[in-house]
């Protein structure tokens, strides 16, 4: 599914999870999904709708709101809630039941050209996730003709710097603390080995 398909116009709605809340167990528990999707993600959507009501942003698409508020000091709250709404929808699609394994051929060739191998790409994602100090996200992106791994802090999203996100992993503590406490590396590596949705990344590359 392409990035554009997670667009929504006001009022912004919490999209359905693409799987049951216990589908990612044992890597991510139903309890974590319950809080993360049902409280955190929902909270960003609800806050966004409150913040934009009656403003110039009320009728804009989600990505328009993100690009128009990025880096604008007095629009930080709108940016944060819009970007977190988008980022979480993208994160849920970046994982699937029985994920991991080998990417589809075209993506695998692109990964090999950019990183050397799928394992090297996964290692770079894992290293970037560990290097992100505090809350944020790690992303596989298309930058020009090359695939890259980038990390962003807090709500920041590579959309605002012209890169095309292919997949993401949430490294805010709320994504893993109930299941892994402080062991971020265990969460990241389990997601990469067992849940990562290479088909979603390949669709975004197309
Ligand atoms: Fe999150």
């Amino acid at each position: 599914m392409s990035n554009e398909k997670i667009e929504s116009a006001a009022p912004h709605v919490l999209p359905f999870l693409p799987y049951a809340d216990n589908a990612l167990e044992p890597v991510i528990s139903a309890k974590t999904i319950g809080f993360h999707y049902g409280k955190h993600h929902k909270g960003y959507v609800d806050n966004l709708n409150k913040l934009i009501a009656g403003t110039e942003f009320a009728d804009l698409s989600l990505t328009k709101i993100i690009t128009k508020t990025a880096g604008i000091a007095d629009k930080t709250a709108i940016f944060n809630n819009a970007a977190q709404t988008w980022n979480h929808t993208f994160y849920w699609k970046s994982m699937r039941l029985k994920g991991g394994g080998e990417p589809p051929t075209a993506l695998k060739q692109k990964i090999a050209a950019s990183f050397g191998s799928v394992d090297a790409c996964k290692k770079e994602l894992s290293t970037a996730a560990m290097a992100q100090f505090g809350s944020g996200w790690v992303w596989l992106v298309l930058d020009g003709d090359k695939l890259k791994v980038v990390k962003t802090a807090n709500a920041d999203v590579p959309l605002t710097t012209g890169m095309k996100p292919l997949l993401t992993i949430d490294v805010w503590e709320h994504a893993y603390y109930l299941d892994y406490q402080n062991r971020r590396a265990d969460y990241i590596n389990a997601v990469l080995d067992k849940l990562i949705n290479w088909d979603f990344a390949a669709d975004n590359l197309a």
Side-chain angles (χ1 to χ4, degrees):
M1 188 168 288
S2 71
N3 297 353
E4 288 72 26
K5 287 186 186 149
I6 64 171
E7 273 294 307
S8 60
H12 299 275
V13 293
L14 182 67
F16 287 111
L17 264 185
Y19 30 72
D21 63 0
N22 64 353
L24 306 184
E25 290 187 336
V27 177
I28 298 177
S29 67
K31 191 174 180 187
T32 288
I33 296 283
F35 280 103
H36 198 177
Y37 170 75
K39 304 288 183 191
H40 291 279
H41 194 181
K42 182 178 189 302
Y44 297 126
V45 177
D46 291 347
N47 284 336
L48 175 65
N49 282 324
K50 277 184 216 149
L51 286 164
I52 63 174
T55 75
E56 65 195 284
F57 302 103
D59 297 322
L60 297 185
S61 69
L62 192 53
T63 52
K64 278 260 164 53
I65 295 172
I66 292 168
T67 52
K68 280 178 177 281
T69 57
I72 311 285
D74 66 345
K75 299 288 186 282
T76 303
I78 293 176
F79 172 81
N80 284 341
N81 285 283
Q84 285 293 79
T85 295
W86 194 95
N87 293 350
H88 281 88
T89 300
F90 201 75
Y91 168 61
W92 304 128
K93 292 169 187 284
S94 295
M95 301 183 289
R96 66 179 176 89
L97 178 65
K98 296 185 179 148
E102 293 292 309
T105 306
L107 175 62
K108 192 175 173 181
Q109 287 171 347
K110 194 99 179 155
I111 287 174
S114 299
F115 300 98
S117 67
V118 173
D119 279 349
C121 174
K122 285 165 66 179
K123 185 149 200 308
E124 198 160 322
L125 283 162
S126 174
T127 301
M130 292 309 295
Q132 175 54 38
F133 185 79
S135 296
W137 301 81
V138 63
W139 307 81
L140 181 66
V141 300
L142 182 66
D143 185 17
D145 194 38
K146 278 210 93 168
L147 298 187
K148 279 187 187 166
V149 166
V150 296
K151 56 187 169 65
T152 60
N154 301 315
D156 286 352
V157 49
L159 285 177
T160 61
T161 48
M163 293 182 275
K164 186 177 190 185
L166 303 183
L167 57 79
T168 193
I169 305 174
D170 190 339
V171 295
W172 285 56
E173 281 189 346
H174 67 219
Y176 60 87
Y177 210 84
L178 291 176
D179 299 329
Y180 296 86
Q181 293 77 50
N182 61 326
R183 292 175 286 114
R184 183 187 284 185
D186 290 351
Y187 154 71
I188 291 293
N189 291 330
V191 168
L192 286 169
D193 286 341
K194 304 209 170 77
L195 299 181
I196 206 73
N197 187 349
W198 293 120
D199 290 342
F200 177 62
D203 288 350
N204 289 324
L205 186 63

